[in-house]
Amino acid sequence: MRILVVEDDAGIAAGLRTNLQQRGYAVDVCDGVASAWGALRVERFDAVLLDLGLADGDGGELLRRLRLSPAPGAGAPQILPDPSTPVLIVTARDQVHQRIAGLDQGADDYLAKPFDIDELDARLRALLRRAAGRASPTLRYADIEMDPAARTVHQGGKLVEMSPREFSVLLVLLEARGRVLSRQQIEERLYSWDAAIESNAVEVHIHHLRRKLGSACIQTMRGVGYFMPQEPSA
């Protein structure tokens, strides 16, 4: 899943990037309101980690602008920035009235610095789970059980070994079950701006997943993309 970190302290930003990447996230970093707004206008992120005290303004203003962005009409394609993007405020402002203000401005969660990276990861997983419309911490599909917290996949009760990138591709497709995703859409969810992407990387990962989970698990719509059927085959 792709995360935008908005943080002007270079050391904190670098630490967040490293720790989140180790947990399987694709991470991009902006150091101010202007650069973050520009990123949100051209890229789709699964969640935003937002500091409030930024060098060029207050992060709360960025949050207000995001929430006031127009939402698409019924049946219309999603436009950017996406006003429903989950936002987790991560800030040194830890007073109760400041927490209340941040949540009332539209934040989905609020975490005061200093914090434990494991708690941050757990809060991110909860945000992403709610954004996907599911209550269970695990995903089930036929005889496949996926645990994003432990980053494990079991099929028929047996552990299936897979690379971090294979796990991420499977998670993206499983969250979007029933919808066809193009290679570009999958890449946008998996890779940050500075990542080197092989031209056939997605195809290779899907080939490996089919070999491990069964060829019917992930299907191809020729010329469009890949999908997992809404209802798994018997």
Side-chain angles (χ1 to χ4, degrees):
M1 296 296 173
R2 193 168 180 187
I3 308 298
L4 177 64
V5 173
V6 187
E7 169 64 65
D8 64 350
D9 184 303
I12 293 176
L16 284 171
R17 183 202 291 269
T18 299
N19 279 284
L20 291 174
Q21 285 177 336
Q22 290 173 348
R23 286 163 167 77
Y25 298 99
V27 183
D28 293 304
V29 175
C30 289
D31 62 1
V33 173
S35 58
W37 182 248
L40 288 165
R41 291 181 63 187
V42 298
E43 299 281 1
R44 192 177 310 281
F45 296 93
D46 293 290
V48 178
L49 298 185
L50 177 63
D51 188 17
L52 294 179
L54 300 169
D56 66 344
D58 191 282
E61 178 57 32
L62 176 69
L63 176 57
R64 285 190 291 272
R65 290 175 68 185
L66 177 63
R67 293 301 184 235
L68 290 173
S69 299
Q78 180 65 63
I79 58 175
L80 295 176
D82 181 356
S84 66
T85 303
V87 175
L88 169 56
I89 290 178
V90 181
T91 180
R93 301 178 189 176
D94 61 355
Q95 298 299 307
V96 172
H97 73 276
Q98 293 170 322
R99 295 171 184 260
I100 293 172
L103 294 169
D104 283 345
Q105 287 173 347
D108 298 274
D109 201 355
Y110 196 109
L111 184 61
K113 299 174 182 176
F115 53 84
D116 186 277
I117 192 67
D118 289 331
E119 180 182 0
L120 174 65
D121 189 14
R123 288 174 180 264
L124 265 179
R125 292 196 302 271
L127 284 186
L128 296 170
R129 185 170 66 242
R130 291 197 296 271
R134 58 182 176 86
S136 173
T138 60
L139 295 90
R140 296 179 182 273
Y141 186 83
D143 62 346
I144 299 171
E145 181 177 357
M146 192 173 201
D147 186 344
R151 293 191 68 79
T152 57
V153 176
H154 288 81
Q155 185 175 41
K158 296 182 179 179
L159 180 66
V160 180
E161 297 287 351
M162 57 182 58
S163 71
R165 198 67 77 188
E166 290 166 3
F167 183 94
S168 296
V169 171
L170 180 61
L171 179 59
V172 167
L173 290 170
L174 194 50
E175 291 278 22
R177 70 180 76 176
R179 293 190 289 117
V180 180
L181 299 180
S182 68
R183 184 181 71 179
Q184 180 180 354
Q185 287 175 313
I186 297 172
E187 288 175 346
E188 288 173 350
R189 300 285 298 280
L190 299 180
Y191 297 98
S192 55
W193 295 319
D194 57 356
I197 309 174
E198 296 290 338
S199 61
N200 65 336
V202 170
E203 287 84 352
V204 170
H205 296 318
I206 288 176
H207 171 74
H208 290 164
L209 287 170
R210 285 170 169 162
R211 179 167 50 82
K212 294 177 180 181
L213 301 174
S215 59
C217 177
I218 301 172
Q219 298 186 17
T220 301
M221 182 172 288
R222 190 171 299 278
V224 181
Y226 303 95
F227 69 101
M228 297 181 74
Q230 182 67 40
E231 297 295 333
S233 56

